[in-house]
Amino acid sequence: MDKIIIEGGKRLSGTIPISGAKNAALTLLPCALLTDEPLTLRNLPRLADIDSFQHLMTQFGVSTSIAGTRPGDFGRVMTLEATRLTSTTAPYDLVRKMRASIVVLGPLLARAGEAIVSLPGGCAIGNRPIDFHLKAFEALGATIEVANGYVRAIAPDGGLKGGKITLPFPSVGATENALMAASLAQGDTVIENAAREPEIVDLCGLLCAMGCEISGQGTSRILVHGQNRLHGATYKVMPDRIEAGSFACAAAITGGEVTLQGAASGDMEATLQALRDAGVAVEEVKGGIHVAADGPIREVTVSTAPYPGFPTDMQAQLMALLCKGVGTSVLTETIFENRYMHVPELNRMGANIETSGRTAIVHGVEKLTGAEVMATDLRASMSLVIAGLAAEGETQVHRLYHLDRGYERLEEKFALLGAQVERVGEG
Ligand code: UD1
């Protein structure tokens, strides 16, 4: 298993390209199940999660091919073709490894009239139920059976029917599943209290490119005019706002400056505002965002919230930045109940963080020190890398596979910024 070794104390400076968004890509890929025509996705990040999803799609009889990229390029182009579905079952082994697999339920149900997907269970950041997804399918006429660790959703004779879905919470995954199911349902569907995340807007962009009629995306009320069939499309994945925010925190903790080429500032206002509040200069430049830090990192108070609030996926990275600062910051995690596993590891690096329930109090310290650390999830791993960049001496971050799930060519991007970050095999 690989690990990453960071020699801290180098000031980051330069320009990096921002990759296609993992969280968008993982909801665009299953759209291939909605049509018998080819779907081509451009700007797909090269990530372990994308490879796993590609593998999952082949389980349903989808043919996939990757073309048009050279080894040195960032991003890939993938064409998926689901001429005929040969299976509607997503097995435990694949769903267990990647929770995002649950978004195949909606498109399989809509196209094939049935979907059998292993219940994902909890994960490192908390108990992650799918009851909102299942209620949404029921609102479209589906019958749900849960047995032996699997959920089986069955469409009525004649297929799903448009309906009214009211989500108890603006769940991203449930909104995605509902959108894909509704796109092939007969008649109109309204999704109330829908998630407003940019990745939802990106998904609606693709569904519209495939022939669906959708309005209200980006608001809490989305209207979907379902179609009898959808056609193929070519579509570019949006830039990754979490990757961009992570590199902004990395540059800031070293007192450095970075241009995030391709980042879309309109998608990440809450993150940029938190950085500004921390004393970091943030500027929109042609084709991207420029971030520079030359004074001390100041205290901030932030709660995670559904978009347009501060993203839960940025909480750990912002916390790492605030560790090496002045004043006392207060972070509150409202989305997941167990998302502070990076705290003890950051404290081992000299940080001074206390947690109480969903709140973390970060007392800024003057210096961090390198250590051997490991994390149990993707964003937590990135927070340890960020702390390592500013720490005195060497930091080793174990379990690199977490980072490979969500950051395309991490060490190459850090090398472009002058950081000393090396990947080594642990034998
Ligand atoms: C969440 C994040 C998303 C992030 C992704 C990956 C939010 C609102 N969502 O999306 O931004 O990219 O993780 O880290 O920040 N819930 C239920 N029942 C359900 C579905 C969800 O109770 O059927 C609850 C969850 O337990 C959680 C909340 O709703 O507390 C938000 O979940 P949801 O948005 O669905 O999670 P993801 O789609 O995984």
Side-chain angles (χ1 to χ4, degrees), residues 408-424:
E408 182 174 20
R409 299 178 171 198
L410 184 75
E411 62 278 21
E412 286 175 49
K413 290 194 183 182
F414 276 126
L416 288 171
L417 300 177
Q420 206 174 317
V421 173
E422 196 191 349
R423 173 191 294 259
V424 296

Side-chain angles (χ1 to χ4, degrees), residues 170-172 194-202 218 238 241 305-308:
S171 153
V172 175
R196 296 156 65 187
E197 267 71 359
E199 292 76 16
I200 298 285
V201 177
D202 210 34
M238 65 176 276
R241 62 194 171 107
Y307 190 85

